[in-house]
């Protein structure tokens, strides 16, 4: 349980508590306005507590993920090369054997294509 007392987690706890209190306060404020005759405030009276419940649910989810060891920032995973890449390499190798000028032109086009994608 010490991991939930680090500065990062303490900040998250403070933010969650602040948001829940603020959202419930906004709900109470809208309830007062609704009782004063503002019909639109009735919808907000129920909406703000739902936001508070959402914050509590996400707070609990983050704590459970930490306890279960689920971490989304674990570093890059090794991705296997798709079969298409090996097929492409084989086609390029055959083209270079058959017609080196065509292969050079295709490499030139591929380079131009990659340069245009960097600008986007």
């Amino acid at each position: 349980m010490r991991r939930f007392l680090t500065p990062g987690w303490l900040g998250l706890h403070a933010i969650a508590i602040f948001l829940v209190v603020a959202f419930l306060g906004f709900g109470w404020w809208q309830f007062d306005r609704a009782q004063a005759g503002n019909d639109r405030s009735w919808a907000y009276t129920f909406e703000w507590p739902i936001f508070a419940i959402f914050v509590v649910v996400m707070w609990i989810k983050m704590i459970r993920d930490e306890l279960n060891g689920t971490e989304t920032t674990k570093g890059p995973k090794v991705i296997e090369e798709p079969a298409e890449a090996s097929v492409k390499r084989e086609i390029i190798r055959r083209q270079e054997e058959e017609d080196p000028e065509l292969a050079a032109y295709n490499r030139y086009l591929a380079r131009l294509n990659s340069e245009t994608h960097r600008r986007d």
Side-chain angles (χ1 to χ4, degrees):
M1 293 315 243
R2 290 186 129 176
R3 67 180 113 175
F4 298 116
L5 299 176
T6 61
W9 272 103
L10 289 175
L12 287 173
H13 297 321
I15 289 171
I17 291 169
F18 173 78
L19 287 175
V20 168
V21 170
F23 290 166
L24 291 176
F26 291 150
W28 187 258
W29 170 60
Q30 290 295 331
F31 179 71
D32 287 342
R33 288 184 51 155
Q35 285 190 332
N38 187 349
D39 290 336
R40 187 180 299 167
S41 291
W42 282 111
Y44 294 123
T45 298
F46 299 105
E47 185 177 292
W48 284 110
I50 290 172
F51 291 157
I53 291 170
F54 178 75
V55 170
V56 170
V57 167
M58 293 310 294
W59 187 25
I60 291 171
K61 182 184 179 329
M62 288 173 55
I63 290 173
R64 281 188 177 172
D65 287 348
E66 180 70 23
L67 288 174
N68 292 336
T70 305
E71 190 173 316
T72 57
T73 59
K74 274 190 177 175
K77 293 182 179 179
V78 176
I79 300 174
E80 292 183 22
E81 182 180 30
E84 299 154 1
S86 63
V87 171
K88 281 183 183 179
R89 276 200 311 273
E90 180 62 25
I91 291 171
I92 291 170
R93 187 187 63 76
R94 285 185 186 172
Q95 281 180 351
E96 287 192 2
E97 288 176 359
E98 293 172 6
D99 191 357
E101 288 182 24
L102 178 62
Y105 181 67
N106 286 336
R107 283 193 303 273
Y108 170 72
L109 291 177
R111 191 191 67 189
L112 287 178
N113 188 29
S114 67
E115 287 175 2
T116 58
H117 287 303
R118 278 190 244 151
R119 292 182 192 156
D120 294 339

